[in-house]
């Protein structure tokens, strides 16, 4: 089973701090063990040499029949059994034990009759030296780890701060602010060597500049084409009005009207692309506004069912909201099948038809201009304009398909910000 980590553990700063802490602890432990073992061996060797020297002197005195010095004797009390057995076997040896609560270094050698001649030296000072060394190692390791963490955190924070700034600029660019740039100091100062973060920032700035140039060129092209088409279309419309009545004339007038509508849509999209549209907000009753939109939609209005589950007041631009709802209703009739239902439930408006539903690319990525798939007729510019106007309104427009068990069909959902004023309830 995979263990899920907390959110903070996934940040670069946390990972760097954990890595630095782990490496510092491992290094401190390694150095501490090496120093402890080295000093302990040195201290024990010095105490063992003194004990063996005293044992040699005691052996000489014992063999000469002289009196033994204090802390020297034959089979003294407290002599470790292992050391006594070693001496009885004719060998010399040393051992450190606690004797009456005092650390003691014992040295023992063979004596007559299978006895052991032993010397006891006070080992307290050496034990205190080793304990003091261990405490010093622990304190110095803790201070070294703390200092390394502070320095490492400062260095990592500088890097993560630059990465956060780069990520913030990337989010601004994805939100439509093509003027956003990172402007990392290392990319602007030739005397400073660039690092990996500066390379990422420079690549992002270059990408944003290239993307901005391409989008501005596309916007200018769209606007120029729409403006240039207006003049010949006006003359073509006037000429079509002079044609004699008949079926061919109706066809010409219908195509001219469609071309004029397309030109106006292109102009509207070019204005939306600039991001400079301004709201003329007012408080509107959403149910009444939806009814006006359906009534104004002409012949399709009679085939559109309006359901007001809960009316609401919204602060919005009436003209833009009518444009969004009108495009959604028109698209439902043009590319779906009846019945088409417009439902108002508080600040949420849904438009549903019972056709084949939206294409998968539209549900996943949103409407794309003039795109068609699999021989379909596409969705033109209506949904693109609806999405752009919804963004100007600060509303959220989403697209989904109803399951086949519920009758299928396309579902467009517009979510607005509800006004603080009172709302009315009741069906339309």
């Amino acid at each position: 089973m995979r263990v899920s980590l907390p959110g903070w553990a996934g940040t670069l700063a946390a990972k760097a701090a954990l890595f630095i802490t782990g490496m510092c602890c491992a290094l401190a432990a390694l150095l501490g063990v090496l120093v402890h073992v080295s000093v302990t061996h040195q201290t024990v060797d010095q105490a063992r040499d003194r004990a063996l020297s005293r044992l040699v002197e005691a052996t000489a005195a014992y063999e000469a029949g002289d009196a033994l010095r204090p802390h020297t004797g034959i089979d003294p009390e407290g002599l470790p059994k292992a050391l006594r057995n070693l001496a009885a076997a004719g060998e010399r040896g040393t051992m450190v034990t606690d004797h009456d609560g005092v650390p003691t270094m014992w040295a023992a050698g063979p004596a007559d009759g299978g006895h052991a001649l032993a010397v006891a030296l006070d080992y307290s000072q050496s034990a205190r030296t080793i304990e003091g060394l261990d405490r010093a190692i622990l304190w110095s390791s803790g201070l070294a780890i703390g200092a390394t963490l502070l320095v490492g955190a400062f260095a990592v924070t500088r890097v993560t701060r630059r990465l956060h700034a780069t990520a913030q600029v990337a989010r601004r660019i994805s939100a439509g602010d093509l003027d956003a740039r990172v402007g990392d100091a290392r990319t602007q100062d030739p005397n400073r060597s660039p690092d990996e973060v500066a390379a990422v920032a420079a690549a992002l700035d270059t990408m944003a500049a290239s993307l901005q140039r391409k989008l501005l060129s596309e916007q200018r092209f769209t606007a120029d084409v729409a403006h240039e088409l207006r003049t010949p279309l006006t003359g073509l419309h006037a000429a079509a009005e002079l044609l004699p009545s008949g079926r061919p004339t109706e066809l010409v007038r219908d195509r001219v009207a469609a071309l004029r509508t397309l030109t106006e849509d292109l102009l509207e999209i070019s204005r939306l692309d600039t991001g400079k549209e301004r709201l003329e907000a007012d408080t509107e009753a959403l149910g009444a506004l939806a009814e006006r939109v359906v009534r104004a939609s002409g012949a399709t209005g009679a085939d559109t069912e309006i359901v007001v589950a809960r009316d609401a007041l919204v602060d919005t631009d009436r003209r833009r909201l009518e444009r969004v709802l009108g495009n959604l209703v028109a698209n439902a009739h043009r590319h779906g099948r009846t019945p088409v239902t417009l439902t108002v439930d508080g600040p949420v408006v849904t438009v549903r038809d019972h056709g084949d539903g939206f294409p998968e690319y539209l549900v996943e990525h949103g409407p794309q201009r003039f795109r068609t798939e699999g021989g379909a007729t596409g969705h033109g510019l209506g949904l693109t304009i609806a999405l752009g106007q919804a963004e100007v309104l600060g509303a959220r427009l989403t697209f989904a398909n109803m399951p086949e068990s519920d009758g299928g069909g396309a579902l467009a959902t517009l979510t607005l910000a509800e006004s603080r004023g009172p709302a009315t309830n009741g069906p339309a």
Side-chain angles (χ1 to χ4, degrees), residues 110-143:
D112 295 339
H115 295 286
L117 176 63
V119 175
L121 295 182
D122 188 359
Y123 192 72
S124 301
Q125 182 61 37
S126 299
R128 285 194 295 269
T129 300
I130 295 175
E131 291 177 359
L133 175 66
D134 291 341
R135 287 194 296 270
I137 291 175
L138 290 176
W139 279 105
S140 60
S141 299
L143 291 176

Side-chain angles (χ1 to χ4, degrees), residues 29-342:
L30 178 61
L31 293 177
V33 169
L34 292 176
V35 173
H36 172 81
V37 171
S38 177
V39 174
T40 300
H41 282 177
Q42 182 180 0
T43 304
V44 171
D45 288 343
Q46 292 175 354
R48 180 182 292 112
D49 291 341
R50 291 197 305 269
L52 290 175
S53 298
R54 294 283 289 280
L55 179 61
V56 171
E57 295 174 359
T59 301
Y62 174 74
E63 292 176 349
D66 297 336
L68 298 178
R69 298 176 61 180
H71 306 294
T72 304
I74 302 297
D75 295 332
E77 182 183 359
L79 179 64
K81 182 178 180 181
L83 195 57
R84 179 183 287 109
N85 295 335
L86 182 67
E91 301 289 338
R92 288 182 179 182
T94 60
M95 184 177 292
V96 177
T97 61
D98 282 340
H99 180 54
D100 295 334
V102 178
T104 303
M105 169 65 77
W106 294 93
D112 295 339
H115 295 286
L117 176 63
V119 175
L121 295 182
D122 188 359
Y123 192 72
S124 301
Q125 182 61 37
S126 299
R128 285 194 295 269
T129 300
I130 295 175
E131 291 177 359
L133 175 66
D134 291 341
R135 287 194 296 270
I137 291 175
L138 290 176
W139 279 105
S140 60
S141 299
L143 291 176
I145 292 173
T148 305
L149 271 178
L150 290 177
V151 175
F154 174 74
V156 172
T157 301
R158 292 188 61 185
V159 175
T160 55
R161 187 163 52 243
R162 294 166 62 196
L163 289 175
H164 283 307
T166 303
Q168 185 177 5
V169 170
R171 285 191 289 268
R172 288 172 56 189
I173 293 173
S174 65
D177 184 6
L178 298 182
D179 293 324
R181 298 291 185 273
V182 179
D184 193 277
R186 289 181 178 269
T187 62
Q188 299 176 353
D189 188 355
N191 296 324
R192 302 178 65 180
S193 58
D195 55 9
E196 289 78 2
V197 179
V200 172
L204 180 63
D205 288 346
T206 302
M207 181 198 69
S210 176
L211 182 62
Q212 185 178 36
R213 287 194 300 270
K214 291 180 180 179
L215 289 180
L216 290 177
S217 176
E218 180 184 347
Q219 291 171 9
R220 284 194 298 269
F221 175 77
T222 303
D224 291 344
V225 168
H227 280 291
E228 291 298 327
L229 286 176
R230 266 186 161 182
T231 301
L233 279 175
T234 301
L236 187 59
H237 176 72
E241 294 296 328
L242 298 177
L243 294 176
S245 300
R247 180 60 179 168
T249 300
E250 293 179 0
L251 293 175
V252 171
R253 290 175 180 175
D254 179 69
R255 293 300 90 195
V256 171
L259 192 55
R260 291 187 67 182
T261 300
L262 177 59
T263 303
E264 295 300 326
D265 288 346
L266 288 174
L267 283 173
E268 185 172 359
I269 287 178
S270 67
R271 290 193 300 268
L272 291 173
D273 286 341
T274 61
K276 298 179 181 179
E277 294 287 274
R278 294 293 179 264
L279 289 177
E280 297 179 3
D282 198 1
T283 302
E284 300 284 342
L286 197 52
L289 188 143
E291 292 178 359
R292 289 199 304 270
V293 170
V294 172
R295 285 198 302 268
S297 59
T300 60
D303 297 330
T304 303
E305 179 186 2
I306 303 175
V307 177
V308 181
R310 180 173 67 90
D311 202 355
L313 297 178
V314 293
D315 295 325
T316 186
D317 188 322
R318 179 178 58 82
R319 179 184 64 83
R320 297 184 188 278
L321 182 55
E322 289 178 347
R323 178 70 160 152
V324 174
L325 296 181
N327 281 12
L328 294 179
V329 172
N331 183 82
H333 282 283
R334 184 176 299 114
H335 300 285
R337 288 191 294 271
T338 57
V340 174
T341 305
L342 187 151

